[in-house]
Amino acid sequence: MHVPILGSTVEIDETAIAEPPAVVREQVREYARGEREAFDLTVAMPGTMTGEVMAAMTDIPYGETRTYGELAAELDTAPVAVGQACGRNPVPIVVPCHRVVGSDGGLGGYSGGDGVATKRRLLEFEQGTTRLSTES
């Protein structure tokens, strides 16, 4: 499913979420209006490194970031493996891969929307430096 947010469109794999698409869309709209900081959705986490990284990303609080290296240390793997797993996240925004950044403060990559530009806007929004339209 394609979900509009921040002037771009993020693809979310609806088969990875137990709830119907209408519920997912409504929760994304609530997030965009600043009414939701975490998603209340049942996400299927793969039994692989990607699933381990996805689970770790769900623990990153709204408005905060972690580095690829910090997640790698937590999971006893390499930062590049964390980055690759972030790129395979089938449910960006819902599982907040946008909250994972480089150790130098660089944004790295982002598989959703317009790539790094969308990641930057999501981080700025969560940190309160920008406001979104309520018409997402």
Side-chain angles (χ1 to χ4, degrees), residues 3 5 8-11 92-93 110-119 121:
V3 179
I5 192 160
S8 64
T9 301
V10 174
E11 185 172 347
I93 301 175
Y110 188 63
S111 62
D114 297 318
V116 173
T118 299
K119 182 174 185 172
R121 289 190 300 263

Side-chain angles (χ1 to χ4, degrees), residues 7-59:
S8 64
T9 301
V10 174
E11 185 172 347
I12 295 175
D13 180 356
E14 62 196 80
T15 66
I17 300 174
E19 290 76 14
V23 172
V24 176
R25 288 180 190 285
E26 179 56 28
Q27 289 196 22
V28 170
R29 282 192 294 269
E30 291 168 355
Y31 168 87
R33 290 190 303 258
E35 299 168 357
R36 173 176 294 280
E37 293 184 356
F39 292 88
D40 184 25
L41 300 168
T42 307
V43 177
M45 305 278 183
T48 62
M49 172 59 68
T50 298
E52 290 180 39
V53 172
M54 288 173 66
M57 289 187 293
T58 61
D59 291 336

Side-chain angles (χ1 to χ4, degrees), residues 29-113:
R29 282 192 294 269
E30 291 168 355
Y31 168 87
R33 290 190 303 258
E35 299 168 357
R36 173 176 294 280
E37 293 184 356
F39 292 88
D40 184 25
L41 300 168
T42 307
V43 177
M45 305 278 183
T48 62
M49 172 59 68
T50 298
E52 290 180 39
V53 172
M54 288 173 66
M57 289 187 293
T58 61
D59 291 336
I60 303 171
Y62 180 92
E64 294 184 21
T65 60
R66 298 293 180 272
T67 68
Y68 295 101
E70 287 170 330
L71 289 184
E74 179 183 324
L75 299 170
D76 194 30
T77 191
V80 70
V82 170
Q84 290 169 342
C86 287
R88 289 188 297 270
N89 176 10
V91 290
I93 301 175
V94 174
V95 172
C97 50
H98 61 277
R99 297 180 188 153
V100 184
V101 299
S103 61
D104 63 356
L107 297 183
Y110 188 63
S111 62

